[in-house]
Amino acid sequence: RGYLEIKEVEAKGLIFKKPDWTFVFKKNFDDLLAYERILMSGIFGNSPEIGKEVSLADLKGIFADDMRDATKSAEKQLVTNKYYRTAPGTARARWLGLGVVLFIFSILAVVVTAKLTHAGLAVLSLPLVGLLFVFGAKNMPSRTGKGTAIYRRGLGFRKLFTDQEAQRAKFAEDKNIFY
């Protein structure tokens, strides 16, 4: 959209060459969404000059807080736009917490049942349910119908680009489908 240019910089190093990228500020970002402004100000500062360049390597260790804030802002925007019912990070944290609590209490239930009744095997599967919640937490954010439609559309664009079918990409470009 013309706010930022990303240039690849020649890899440095004698043996293990690590590529780097440079971000070039192109135009004022006041009209961007909140999470986009957070990212841009995290890279360039609050009032950068046109043409300012920042290396990705320069952001190492100082950009993490801005990225975390941008993620929270983006999740808030997803809920506002009705793509998700609740913020994905919040949903993951809830399910993870529930899984941990369930796992701990079910371990206690197994121990108590085994000590008191010698039937600990009967409730041995309960901790597994807690573990399922813990490991499944990342998949728990619930998209709305609108969110699912946008997600599928994004998968279609990914397929278009990863399949590297030149004719389909050229057709889409000629027909201005991406705009």
Side-chain angles (χ1 to χ4, degrees):
R1 297 181 331 200
Y3 294 93
L4 165 77
E5 179 183 342
I6 302 173
K7 296 191 288 188
E8 187 171 2
V9 179
E10 189 173 321
K12 296 177 184 175
L14 296 174
I15 299 173
F16 300 107
K17 294 187 177 191
K18 293 176 74 175
D20 195 14
W21 288 267
T22 298
F23 303 109
V24 182
F25 181 72
K26 291 295 191 178
K27 67 180 183 180
N28 193 343
F29 53 84
D30 290 337
D31 58 335
L32 293 176
L33 296 172
Y35 70 92
E36 295 170 321
R37 284 193 309 274
I38 293 168
L39 287 174
M40 292 292 280
S41 64
I43 295 170
F44 298 109
N46 289 327
S47 55
E49 295 180 16
I50 302 294
K52 179 178 181 179
E53 294 188 7
V54 176
S55 169
L56 180 62
D58 295 340
L59 297 174
K60 186 176 182 178
I62 61 171
F63 188 64
D65 291 337
D66 295 312
M67 189 64 188
R68 193 172 14 264
D69 293 343
T71 300
K72 287 180 185 176
S73 180
E75 287 184 350
K76 189 176 180 181
Q77 186 72 39
L78 289 170
V79 173
T80 300
N81 290 346
K82 298 188 183 337
Y83 294 132
Y84 282 88
R85 288 169 178 63
T86 60
T90 303
R92 286 185 196 100
R94 285 180 186 160
W95 284 99
L96 179 64
L98 180 63
V100 168
V101 168
L102 183 60
F103 179 74
I104 291 169
F105 281 117
S106 61
I107 290 291
L108 291 173
V110 168
V111 170
V112 168
T113 305
K115 284 213 179 246
L116 298 178
T117 65
H118 300 294
L121 290 176
V123 291
L124 192 58
S125 63
L126 289 177
L128 296 176
V129 174
L131 288 177
L132 284 174
F133 276 56
V134 167
F135 291 114
K138 67 179 182 169
N139 299 318
M140 292 305 200
S142 176
R143 281 188 211 95
T144 61
K146 181 179 176 183
T148 300
I150 292 292
Y151 174 72
R152 287 184 179 159
R153 185 175 179 191
L155 288 178
F157 281 123
R158 178 190 288 172
K159 181 172 174 47
L160 177 70
F161 291 115
T162 57
D163 287 352
Q164 296 184 6
E165 295 179 10
Q167 291 176 345
R168 282 178 39 183
K170 180 159 178 31
F171 172 80
E173 183 178 318
D174 291 344
K175 299 294 181 184
N176 235 0
I177 289 176
F178 301 114
Y179 302 103

